[in-house]
């Protein structure tokens, strides 16, 4: 027979065991502290133009010029700071090989910058929008006046024709397009007038013809002679009057 005190200790041990078991189970199943949420993906940066051209596989020279002139950096900031987008007419390597030998080497640093900028229009133009653009298009090279950097684009059916006054070509294909950047292949380098055929400065005013100079000198000489003659006549006339006055005085004295 179990004694009462033994029954009490036995019950106490069971209660402690049950408490320990429940506590352990609750500790294992209780949710831990919430993990911090992972940051969302960063917004995409501007479109990398040189990577697009590298994927095109036939724009090696144009890529080198973009980097050497730092126009690639200008494009990055232009796309990052503006919502207007850009349109690029990218000459293929064959286009550069068709230039006269030494053409690029004959340009100074500023002219190379202007040449590359002339291929960049600071607005996004889709193929369908070429029908409505206003000519001349303004490029990153600047002034569109005749003799500087005019670029004219016309649309005929599915063909987009380009003229610079020195170069006539057309868009031969679309390399890349989204809602901000359009890159079109051209098979000729677009030569701007301001670099390859600048207008000479206006000539200085022409000097007066020699006959005009002689006539002017002759008129001046005649005028001087006339002034001298007039002055001599006055002097002579004044002398005669003095002589007559003196003779009159002598005559009066003799008569006395």
């Amino acid at each position: 027979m179990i004694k009462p005190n033994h029954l009490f200790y036995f019950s106490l041990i069971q209660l402690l065991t049950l408490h320990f078991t429940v506590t352990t189970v609750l500790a294992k199943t209780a949710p831990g502290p919430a993990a911090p949420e992972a940051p969302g993906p960063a917004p995409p940066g501007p479109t990398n133009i040189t990577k697009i051209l590298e994927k095109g596989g036939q724009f090696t020279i144009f890529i080198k010029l973009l980097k050497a002139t730092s126009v690639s950096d200008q494009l990055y900031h232009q796309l990052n700071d503006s919502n207007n987008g850009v349109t690029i007419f990218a000459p293929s390597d064959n286009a550069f090989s068709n230039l006269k030998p030494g053409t690029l080497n004959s340009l100074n640093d500023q002219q190379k910058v202007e040449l590359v900028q002339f291929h960049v229009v600071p607005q996004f133009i889709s193929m369908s929008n070429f029908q409505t653009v206003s000519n001349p298009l303004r490029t990153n090279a600047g002034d569109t006046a005749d003799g500087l950097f005019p670029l004219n684009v016309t649309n005929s059916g599915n063909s987009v024709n380009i003229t610079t006054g020195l170069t006539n070509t057309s868009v031969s294909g679309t390399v890349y397009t989204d809602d901000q950047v359009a890159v079109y292949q051209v098979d000729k380098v677009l030569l701007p007038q301001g670099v390859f055929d600048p207008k000479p400065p206006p000539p200085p005013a022409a000097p007066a013809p020699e006959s005009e100079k002689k006539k002017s000198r002759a008129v001046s000489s005649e005028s001087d002679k006339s002034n001298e003659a007039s002055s001599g006549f006055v002097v002579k006339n004044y002398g005669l009057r003095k002589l007559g006055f003196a003779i009159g005085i002598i005559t009066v004295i003799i008569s006395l």
Side-chain angles (χ1 to χ4, degrees), residues 163-168 189-198:
T163 180
T164 72
L166 297 175
T167 304
N168 295 309
V189 179
L190 305 179
L191 304 180
Q193 297 176 18
V195 174
F196 293 93
D197 188 26

Side-chain angles (χ1 to χ4, degrees), residues 45-165:
T47 304
N48 191 316
I49 303 299
T50 54
K51 284 187 177 181
I52 290 172
L53 293 170
E54 287 170 357
K55 289 181 180 179
Q58 51 181 331
F59 304 100
T60 306
I61 299 175
F62 191 53
I63 292 171
K64 288 181 179 178
L65 284 172
L66 282 168
K67 293 179 178 179
T69 58
S70 297
V71 173
S72 57
D73 295 332
Q74 294 174 10
L75 286 170
Y76 178 88
H77 293 296
Q78 190 171 335
L79 289 170
N80 193 51
D81 301 338
S82 170
N83 294 323
N84 294 331
V86 296
T87 298
I88 299 172
F89 298 109
S92 63
D93 291 336
N94 286 336
F96 282 100
S97 66
N98 289 330
L99 291 174
K100 292 180 180 179
T103 297
L104 293 180
N105 292 334
S106 68
L107 303 179
N108 59 37
D109 291 343
Q110 179 60 31
Q111 289 173 326
K112 287 179 181 178
V113 170
E114 291 171 340
L115 174 62
V116 177
Q117 289 178 331
F118 191 59
H119 291 75
V120 180
V121 178
Q123 61 177 326
F124 171 75
I125 307 175
S126 65
M127 286 293 287
S128 59
N129 286 343
F130 279 117
Q131 299 178 7
T132 58
V133 295
S134 298
N135 286 312
L137 284 178
R138 186 175 184 85
T139 69
N140 280 6
D143 201 328
T144 60
D146 188 37
L148 293 174
F149 301 98
L151 182 71
N152 292 282
V153 177
T154 57
N155 185 285
S156 177
N158 294 326
S159 178
V160 176
N161 303 311
I162 306 171
T163 180
T164 72

Side-chain angles (χ1 to χ4, degrees), residues 177-216:
T177 184
D178 56 22
D179 59 351
Q180 190 183 27
V181 176
V183 182
Y184 301 111
Q185 179 178 334
V186 290
D187 293 331
K188 288 185 180 180
V189 179
L190 305 179
L191 304 180
Q193 297 176 18
V195 174
F196 293 93
D197 188 26
K199 282 190 173 182
E210 191 63 27
S211 58
E212 292 281 341
K213 291 182 179 180
K214 289 181 179 180
K215 187 183 295 184
S216 176

